[in-house]
Amino acid sequence: MADFVLKVNGTELHVSAPADESLLFVLRDRLNLTGTKYGCGEGQCGACTVLLDGQPARSCITPASGAAGTNITTIEGLEQNGQVSPVQQAFLEEGAFQCGYCTSGMVLSATALLRKTPHPTDEQIVAHMDGNICRCGTYPRIIDAVKRASQSPAKAGGQ
Amino acid sequence: MKVRDALLDELAQHTIDDKPYWFRLDRRDFLKLFGGGLLVCLADVSTWAQESGRNFGGHELPKDIASWLHIAADGRVTVFTGKVEVGQNIRTSLAQQVAEELRVPFDTITMVMGDTDLVPWDAGTFGSRTTPTMGPQLRTMAAAARDMLIETAAARWKVDPATLTAADAKVTNPRNGHSLTYGELTRGEKLMKTVSGEVALTPASDWKVAGTAVPKVNGRDFVTGKHKYPSDIVRPGMMFGKVLRPAGFNATLVSVDTSGAEKISGAKVVQDGNFIAVAAADASTAESALSALRATWNVPAQPSNKELFALLKQPPATQQEDRGPEHVSGSVPQAMASALIQLHQQYTVQYIAHAPLEPRAAVAEWVSGKLTVWTGTQRPFGVRDELMAAFHIPVEQVRVIQPDMGSGYGGKHTGEAAVEAARLAKATGKPVKVVWTREEEFTWAYFRPAGLIEISSGAQHDGTLVAWEHHNYNSGPAAITTPYNVANQLIQFHPANSPLRQGSYRSLAATANHFARESHMDEVAHAVGMDPLEFRMKNLSDPRLRAVFQTAAEKFGWGGSKSTSQRGFGIAGGTDKGGYVATCVEVEINPDKKIKIRRVVQAWESGAIVNPDGLRNQVGGAIVQAIGGALFESIQFANGRILNPHFAQYRVPRFSDTPQIEIVLIDRKDLPSAGAGESGIVGLAPAVGNAIFAATGTRLRNMPMAPPSAASGETVSMFRS
């Protein structure tokens, strides 16, 4: 077991876990942040996407101990003062989900994209999001939601 | 085929045995659950039950009560149903229908779904039956409750009930403006009404809440990560379980050495026959213990994709009851002999995986001999039956709770994870969570059946179909009968011994049967030299199917441009489970035979629309999911092993596969609402195949049509995607 500190959604949390345990399982099982989802365990589906210093990362293949020292953002960290982020709001307005299991990963991938590319083209959205699977097939609505968020006056990447 | 027969067929395709039990809830006990208010139950449900229940295998129909609804003194409405929310949006659409008939604001309604201690028995959520059966049941109860509240007000005011109106959770006397809220009318008393017989329902043309695009209930919880899926459930002191999987299908255990695992601190090893599993306080320790188990398995030699279709054509080794043809009319041999054009073709579909993004998951807990399991399933009562059988416990000692889950697509009818978690919880004395890995989900769940379909047809030179013979081996009878007018028909489903565990899937065999039929229709159209749409219309009189074909063609601009070698246009359509669909596609084929679906126009009609936004979402999702089976999804197997049990090897549709999609909904307010979660999937594959033929002259009769080059199917396609 290794002891380390993770800074998650702005809060420093002490963790005791095997050094190679994935960030996904530390978040879900040890810190009870279950908004981050398991989908494949090998970085192929994007359900477990979190932001490390603003960059999207697959938490299922990221050792938790290696994420110490970064700012980790999970889906639970996007709300500010009870207000959902522009990306979250856009997903709601477009109805861009069915079962919603992929939504956390989609929202975080989109958040990272808009921070880097505030006004992406459809091609840029597809290229950036192609590692995120929505098995319910709501891709067109997700693209619409990303575009809607990119037009939001609050600017999507801000937290 | 009659609806009920189709349902029984669907149930018969399940891979688990039916365990017939029926627990009669004591109504007095049930009333204790509530404070004051009005409880409305729907009785005399024989008409409903024939569709939503099952009356075979000794299973008694729920004679007492099919569903119930409670109006509390504060006006809150709670509705109880055995249907479950898996992403198809029925938590919202059912509540809309209750709000409509009860005349209450939508947000005063709470739906309690899929909790076997709280809701009436239900066969499960499949077959597109929620909207056509549960919808009218709930509407009937809500309308009866409204009538009762009006009568109560009329009695109190000593006026004729016909002079009163109900709106916005109040009964009002328009003559003097007096009004009482529903809560005030119940006076907090425990009132109970049992509804039987017919109650007049509000026609769809008058709907104000139903029929509108109400957003998904609790949508905010899904974008903030707050919603708790089955795999998110946590119980005090909970342990994590892992199950040792055999080295292949039908394997027998030769020996197992558990000593290494038992040495791992905090790990508990459980062996019960072939069930070998571990539990530990955290998932990493459980994983280490699982890795430390040393087992030897004897895996028998088993078939692979190469032998699949020859195998499915063989009669089953176990003698099954000859079900006979689905449909026979006239004489196919005579009609074929006189037909000027005769075609005989064979079509295949491979096994594919549902791959719901949330794999099977369960948390099980025993308290004073009572087992409670939170799990993702489309059949909470089916899972309850599995648990009762597995642990030899009576129905009172099992509760299954189904939190809205990470989807199923027909793939979560069974309760494997629930049984596994419950066995480990029993052994450890603590709550245990079991979440399957993606590889487990790809291997140990069940598959959409593979199938072989043979079609023979005869037509005259003017395009009149005269003979149609359709044989489906193994994949299933759903939508096997042709909607086209053919005087001489022989249509039959032939069950087979499937080498892989198979079960339900979105639309069942309707996808395979439509792929074969609509591809073949295209072949006949080309053989007689007619436009594929014109040929279909010449042989079609069903006005609803004609309407979707015309609507899709018009929106698409069918016939406006001719296919070229790089760009093909295709059309296909059909009907199943009360839904009517027509699909037009534009496909691009680049010089190295790579296929890209550029544009899809799909017309859809399923009676009166309950929620146009939810419906559009379902139809669009079905189109995207259909792309996988059409072009590249295929389970590869050999010798009892799945060879591609990862998303890196088993490709599913992604953003980059998604074409421009236009959906045209036809709202038939004069017709009952049918289910719409499934049949939107059936048109795409044949339309794509027809478009590829239009462009290249190559007919693709095997799904997937453009598999990865590594695929080892019987027929190798020259196309990639």
Side-chain angles (χ1 to χ4, degrees):
Chain A
M1 296 292 260
D3 292 300
F4 48 93
V5 173
L6 293 181
K7 191 173 178 191
V8 185
N9 302 326
T11 304
E12 294 198 336
L13 300 166
H14 292 268
V15 175
S16 182
D20 59 349
E21 187 165 294
S22 71
L23 178 58
L24 173 66
F25 288 133
V26 167
L27 290 171
R28 287 182 55 80
D29 297 341
R30 299 185 190 275
L31 301 175
N32 201 23
L33 292 168
T34 56
T36 308
K37 303 302 182 198
Y38 169 87
C40 69
E42 50 196 21
Q44 291 287 328
C45 77
C48 68
T49 304
V50 298
L51 304 184
L52 300 183
D53 290 334
Q55 296 296 311
R58 304 294 189 236
S59 64
C60 73
I61 49 172
T62 304
S65 53
T70 67
N71 285 302
I72 302 165
T73 307
T74 71
I75 191 71
E76 291 90 348
L78 292 186
E79 270 180 284
Q80 295 289 310
N81 305 318
Q83 296 287 310
V84 294
S85 74
V87 174
Q88 291 171 311
Q89 184 62 32
F91 271 67
L92 282 174
E93 287 170 9
E94 293 292 340
F97 43 74
Q98 286 182 22
C99 80
Y101 194 78
C102 72
T103 306
S104 299
M106 290 286 181
V107 166
L108 285 160
S109 288
T111 301
L113 168 67
L114 294 177
R115 192 175 288 169
K116 190 176 62 180
T117 312
H119 298 285
T121 61
D122 281 24
E123 290 71 25
Q124 286 173 316
I125 296 170
V126 167
H128 179 85
M129 305 284 289
D130 216 30
N132 287 73
I133 292 172
C134 171
R135 195 65 177 127
C136 299
T138 62
Y139 299 123
R141 285 177 177 224
I142 295 171
I143 292 171
D144 289 345
V146 175
K147 287 197 284 195
R148 177 186 282 265
S150 77
Q151 288 148 16
S152 161
K155 283 287 178 284
Q159 285 170 53
Chain B
M1 202 185 332
K2 290 193 296 267
V3 166
R4 240 189 93 237
D5 291 345
L7 265 171
L8 296 187
D9 274 327
E10 176 157 358
L11 282 163
Q13 283 194 14
H14 293 171
T15 47
I16 56 166
D17 295 323
D18 187 39
K19 306 292 191 309
Y21 304 97
W22 167 243
F23 172 45
R24 280 174 183 276
L25 255 178
D26 186 317
R27 293 185 192 185
R28 284 163 303 182
D29 286 348
F30 191 75
L31 271 172
K32 283 185 209 153
L33 289 169
F34 299 101
L38 172 64
L39 178 69
V40 182
C41 301
L42 181 67
D44 190 14
V45 294
S46 55
T47 324
W48 308 115
Q50 281 186 7
E51 287 204 348
S52 69
R54 42 184 149 168
N55 60 352
F56 65 103
H59 205 306
E60 264 191 81
L61 291 167
K63 289 188 190 106
D64 269 348
I65 291 166
S67 47
W68 41 67
L69 177 157
H70 180 255
I71 305 171
D74 64 359
R76 294 290 317 173
V77 178
T78 312
V79 181
F80 298 82
T81 171
K83 298 297 180 196
V84 297
E85 172 65 55
V86 302
Q88 79 284 44
N89 207 37
I90 61 168
R91 184 178 288 282
T92 304
S93 64
L94 289 174
Q96 280 180 270
Q97 295 177 75
V98 172
E100 180 67 52
E101 296 291 353
L102 199 53
R103 314 278 194 260
V104 298
F106 174 79
D107 58 10
T108 60
I109 295 172
T110 301
M111 301 290 300
V112 174
M113 307 175 80
D115 179 331
T116 61
D117 265 13
L118 296 183
V119 306
W121 183 87
D122 188 274
T125 305
F126 54 79
S128 288
R129 304 310 299 161
T130 300
T131 298
T133 60
M134 187 52 65
Q137 287 185 36
L138 298 186
R139 288 172 66 197
T140 298
M141 282 194 307
R146 182 195 69 216
D147 288 348
M148 186 184 173
L149 290 160
I150 289 176
E151 283 160 19
T152 305
R156 207 170 291 174
W157 290 330
K158 299 189 171 52
V159 297
D160 178 1
T163 64
L164 304 181
T165 60
D168 200 24
K170 285 189 297 242
V171 178
T172 301
N173 184 342
R175 293 181 188 174
N176 57 19
H178 292 170
S179 68
L180 285 167
T181 66
Y182 289 175
E184 289 166 344
L185 282 165
T186 68
R187 285 175 169 163
E189 290 170 27
K190 291 195 177 187
L191 305 172
M192 183 160 172
K193 180 181 173 67
T194 302
V195 180
S196 57
E198 294 289 311
V199 178
L201 301 180
T202 307
S205 52
D206 294 341
W207 283 351
K208 294 181 179 66
V209 182
T212 66
V214 172
K216 184 178 176 77
V217 171
N218 296 336
R220 203 173 188 280
D221 289 348
F222 291 87
V223 302
T224 56
K226 285 194 179 68
H227 173 71
K228 297 291 182 196
Y229 291 86
S231 54
D232 298 333
I233 299 296
V234 174
R235 299 296 298 168
M238 185 178 80
M239 299 178 80
F240 294 80
K242 302 295 287 179
V243 179
L244 181 69
R245 302 297 170 191
F249 300 131
N250 305 303
T252 46
L253 181 65
V254 178
S255 65
V256 62
D257 175 3
T258 60
S259 57
E262 278 159 2
K263 281 187 197 126
I264 292 174
S265 170
K268 164 92 179 166
V269 180
V270 177
Q271 185 178 3
D272 187 346
N274 263 12
F275 178 81
I276 304 162
V278 296
D282 63 86
S284 294
T285 307
E287 189 66 52
S288 303
L290 181 74
S291 308
L293 291 169
R294 296 283 170 269
T296 311
W297 302 89
N298 192 353
V299 186
Q302 291 168 69
S304 70
N305 298 76
K306 279 200 182 72
E307 305 95 65
L308 174 61
F309 298 112
L311 199 67
L312 296 183
K313 189 83 187 280
Q314 289 170 12
T318 51
Q319 202 57 45
Q320 295 190 21
E321 191 187 341
D322 181 9
R323 48 183 291 129
E326 251 51 51
H327 181 79
V328 184
S329 59
S331 165
V332 169
Q334 280 178 23
M336 286 293 277
S338 67
L340 293 170
I341 288 166
Q342 300 161 9
L343 285 182
H344 308 277
Q345 291 299 352
Q346 181 175 300
Y347 308 83
T348 64
V349 301
Q350 293 279 351
Y351 291 104
I352 62 175
H354 309 78
L357 208 52
E358 182 183 39
R360 279 164 167 68
V363 174
E365 176 178 275
W366 295 83
V367 176
S368 306
K370 178 159 181 172
L371 170 63
T372 301
V373 180
W374 293 258
T375 191
T377 177
Q378 295 172 245
R379 301 180 64 239
F381 288 89
V383 173
R384 188 187 67 176
D385 291 349
E386 283 188 60
L387 292 164
M388 287 162 61
F391 296 97
H392 314 289
I393 48 176
V395 67
E396 295 87 351
Q397 287 175 27
V398 190
R399 179 182 188 181
V400 174
I401 301 171
Q402 207 286 146
D404 297 4
M405 68 178 174
S407 209
Y409 321 109
K412 287 184 184 164
H413 286 202
T414 46
E416 299 88 346
V419 174
E420 291 160 3
R423 184 67 189 84
L424 285 167
K426 197 171 174 64
T428 58
K430 297 224 172 120
V432 173
K433 177 188 282 196
V434 170
V435 179
W436 280 22
T437 64
R438 178 55 54 194
E439 182 171 339
E440 286 177 302
E441 183 67 35
F442 263 122
T443 307
W444 299 101
Y446 54 83
F447 303 100
R448 183 200 69 184
L452 170 70
I453 295 170
E454 293 170 339
I455 296 182
S456 299
S457 66
Q460 306 299 11
H461 271 315
D462 70 348
T464 306
L465 277 172
V466 295
W468 191 267
E469 188 165 346
H470 179 134
H471 295 275
N472 176 312
Y473 296 89
N474 188 62
S475 95
I480 195 171
T481 54
T482 176
Y484 299 104
N485 306 323
V486 195
N488 304 283
Q489 296 187 30
L490 171 58
I491 292 169
Q492 188 158 4
F493 165 57
H494 306 266
N497 282 338
S498 168
L500 298 185
R501 190 179 188 223
Q502 62 183 20
S504 188
Y505 184 96
R506 190 177 205 167
S507 236
L508 290 164
T511 294
N513 285 321
H514 275 94
F515 173 66
R517 179 166 53 245
E518 286 294 286
S519 297
H520 195 91
M521 287 295 286
D522 207 66
E523 298 190 54
V524 184
H526 284 282
V528 299
M530 286 177 73
D531 172 81
L533 176 62
E534 186 193 349
F535 170 70
R536 282 173 173 80
M537 295 305 237
K538 182 179 174 66
N539 291 287
L540 182 62
S541 49
D542 183 332
R544 297 175 74 181
L545 189 50
R546 288 181 67 91
V548 286
F549 267 123
Q550 277 158 343
T551 304
E554 194 175 307
K555 178 80 174 173
F556 186 75
W558 181 260
S561 326
K562 289 252 176 278
S563 295
T564 66
S565 61
Q566 275 105 46
R567 196 162 292 263
F569 304 104
I571 190 166
T575 174
D576 188 36
K577 300 181 173 74
Y580 291 79
V581 61
T583 312
C584 294
V585 304
E586 176 183 332
V587 168
E588 184 183 292
I589 301 115
N590 76 10
D592 58 358
K593 305 271 190 239
K594 199 164 175 208
I595 290 166
K596 172 91 187 156
I597 305 170
R598 284 288 170 201
R599 183 177 175 228
V600 175
V601 173
Q602 184 152 299
W604 173 265
E605 190 259 291
S606 51
I609 297 173
V610 178
N611 184 321
D613 187 65
L615 176 58
R616 200 171 282 280
N617 210 356
Q618 284 301 302
V619 174
I623 292 168
V624 172
Q625 193 158 44
I627 293 170
L631 291 183
F632 41 74
E633 282 187 45
S634 168
I635 282 291
Q636 298 296 303
F637 64 99
N639 270 323
R641 291 178 181 87
I642 301 302
L643 306 177
N644 55 345
H646 300 272
F647 281 132
Q649 300 150 339
Y650 184 97
R651 180 177 164 193
V652 298
R654 291 179 182 266
F655 278 96
S656 54
D657 297 306
T658 307
Q660 179 191 334
I661 296 173
E662 296 156 71
I663 297 161
V664 190
L665 303 178
I666 301 174
D667 190 5
R668 288 290 303 270
K669 292 186 188 300
D670 56 321
L671 293 171
S673 309
E678 301 190 73
S679 306
I681 201 171
V682 304
L684 183 101
V688 167
N690 296 343
I692 293 169
F693 178 82
T696 66
T698 300
R699 177 63 63 183
L700 299 176
R701 300 188 184 90
N702 308 291
M703 283 174 67
M705 292 182 274
S709 49
S712 66
E714 185 188 43
T715 309
V716 177
S717 169
M718 69 172 78
F719 295 98
R720 297 287 167 261
S721 56

